[in-house]
Amino acid sequence: MDAKLSRRDALKAGGTAAVGVIALRSVGNAAGQTPPPADIPASNRPGGVLSAYQCDRNIWVRIDDAVFCCYRAGADQKYPYFYPLTGPATGMSVTEESSVPWPHHRSLFFGCDHVNGGNYWQDALSRGQIVSRGPRIESADERADLLADVCDWRRGDDEPIIEDRRTYRITAPDASTRILDCRIALTARTDIQITKTNHSLFAVRAARGLAPLGGGRLLNSAGQSGEKATFGQPASWCGFEGVRFGQTESIVLMDDPQNPWYPCQWFTRDYGFASPTPFFWIDEKEPWRLPKGQTLALSYRVAVLAGPLDRARLDCMHRDWSSRA
């Protein structure tokens, strides 16, 4: 069977897995459901029906049979990443897969520069690459999809210096909200040191229409707006909003209070970049270290919303998420 078999062809074949080439797991169908009355606010309408399917190293997640996101983990990539992440109102991605002035940014991604002299953020693959061992759909039902992956941080054919284990839980609690909860645990396979860098860990590259330079807005949990006000400031969350085709949509990245640098200072840009970046603020002469065998556990939440950035709503969401058992 052709390894590039389309989802449509796979569905015609009955949705069965094809000997390591296509893994298809689809749960739920929005067909036949009665839509909610139009006068009920979107935030009070029930969430959509989720499904997930896998084609080679890509995992697609759909909500009410429309694509929400794709986790991309190709062996020739710098690192795995999500693209697209579509807004509930327009169906357009709220992130960019690649865009000037820094086209190496990949939508929603995780990486780091200056790791034992390697670069796991940009530059040639020989300088450093985060290589997926093969993502999988851990579980899926109509309420939540759980994706899992194990990745090796390596340079060329050298032994990995870091092993990371990650899970992504995707939910749609109501018609206006999509949630991506991310847990990433990095275990040092050798002594790790990271020197000062602005390229570190979890980051989002928002679509131009949501970024200030494209007519959108950048806001953090402290109510500060725009790059000049938010850059270097500690915050619980930071996000972008914009209007496209008359519809306002937002994407928000939340930092977990259980993360070691919380509340982390943020690296932000008006062209649409935001990241709680701990290693830009460390002493240039004193690297951050993770001894061999130790593990760094990190957690983040990404919210994709219909509507503007509502601080009260987002503070409540962050509080409920971070107070989980």
Side-chain angles (χ1 to χ4, degrees):
M1 183 179 289
D2 186 350
K4 294 185 178 179
L5 180 68
S6 70
R7 178 176 183 267
R8 179 177 298 175
D9 291 338
L11 289 173
K12 287 180 179 178
T16 58
V19 193
V21 177
I22 297 292
L24 175 62
R25 189 182 304 175
S26 185
V27 183
N29 188 339
Q33 291 184 345
T34 302
D39 58 348
I40 298 178
S43 60
N44 292 332
R45 299 177 193 171
V49 175
L50 277 77
S51 59
Y53 62 95
Q54 181 166 350
C55 295
D56 196 14
R57 286 176 168 263
N58 294 340
I59 297 179
W60 296 82
V61 174
R62 301 171 74 89
I63 299 175
D64 289 340
D65 206 30
V67 169
F68 167 57
C69 67
C70 180
Y71 179 71
R72 301 173 182 270
D76 59 348
Q77 297 172 189
K78 187 70 174 178
Y79 43 65
Y81 63 94
F82 280 92
Y83 180 82
L85 287 97
T86 63
T90 67
M92 299 171 62
S93 182
V94 294
T95 60
E96 298 280 6
E97 186 173 24
S98 179
S99 182
V100 294
W102 305 111
H104 58 269
H105 293 162
R106 291 286 182 265
S107 182
L108 187 70
F109 64 101
F110 185 90
C112 194
D113 194 1
H114 298 184
V115 184
N116 286 19
N119 188 334
Y120 298 84
W121 183 275
Q122 60 181 7
D123 210 343
L125 298 185
S126 60
R127 293 273 291 116
Q129 186 181 8
I130 303 174
V131 184
S132 168
R133 297 183 191 173
R136 65 187 185 278
I137 302 171
E138 191 79 357
S139 64
D141 60 42
E142 66 179 24
R143 297 178 303 279
D145 290 340
L146 183 66
L147 317 183
D149 200 3
V150 180
C151 300
D152 295 314
W153 296 45
R154 64 194 317 155
R155 297 177 67 177
D157 294 329
D158 293 347
E159 288 297 312
I161 64 169
I162 294 173
E163 174 188 284
D164 87 47
R165 294 180 175 269
R166 52 185 71 183
T167 60
Y168 301 100
R169 185 174 187 268
I170 300 165
T171 55
D174 59 59
S176 69
T177 308
R178 282 85 175 93
I179 299 294
L180 175 59
D181 287 326
C182 315
R183 291 178 176 269
I184 303 175
L186 300 97
T187 300
R189 294 308 181 200
T190 188
D191 290 337
I192 299 297
Q193 70 172 27
I194 300 174
T195 55
K196 183 175 179 178
T197 176
N198 57 316
H199 300 147
S200 59
L201 306 187
F202 210 56
V204 62
R205 180 66 185 271
R208 181 171 177 81
L210 276 64
L213 291 185
R217 185 186 186 203
L218 163 62
L219 183 73
N220 70 11
S221 60
Q224 297 159 320
S225 183
E227 177 183 321
K228 290 184 178 180
T230 58
F231 184 86
Q233 298 301 313
S236 298
W237 55 262
C238 193
F240 297 90
E241 70 173 47
V243 179
R244 297 175 296 179
F245 295 100
Q247 299 290 328
T248 302
E249 290 177 321
S250 315
I251 182 168
V252 180
L253 175 53
M254 295 183 173
D255 192 16
D256 192 335
Q258 297 180 25
N259 290 339
W261 299 282
Y262 182 87
C264 194
Q265 294 168 272
W266 288 70
F267 196 100
T268 56
R269 288 290 186 254
D270 279 343
Y271 59 73
F273 179 85
S275 174
T277 304
F279 301 130
F280 186 64
W281 324 104
I282 64 175
D283 190 327
E284 293 185 11
K285 298 180 180 179
E286 187 60 37
W288 180 84
R289 303 177 192 276
L290 184 66
K292 181 179 179 179
Q294 291 195 10
T295 296
L296 170 67
L298 298 169
S299 176
Y300 305 92
R301 167 168 282 196
V302 179
V304 179
L305 309 168
L309 296 168
D310 182 322
R311 286 180 60 200
R313 177 188 180 190
L314 292 169
D315 286 344
C316 181
M317 180 187 294
H318 183 271
R319 183 171 57 254
D320 290 346
W321 166 61
S322 61
S323 64
R324 66 197 182 284

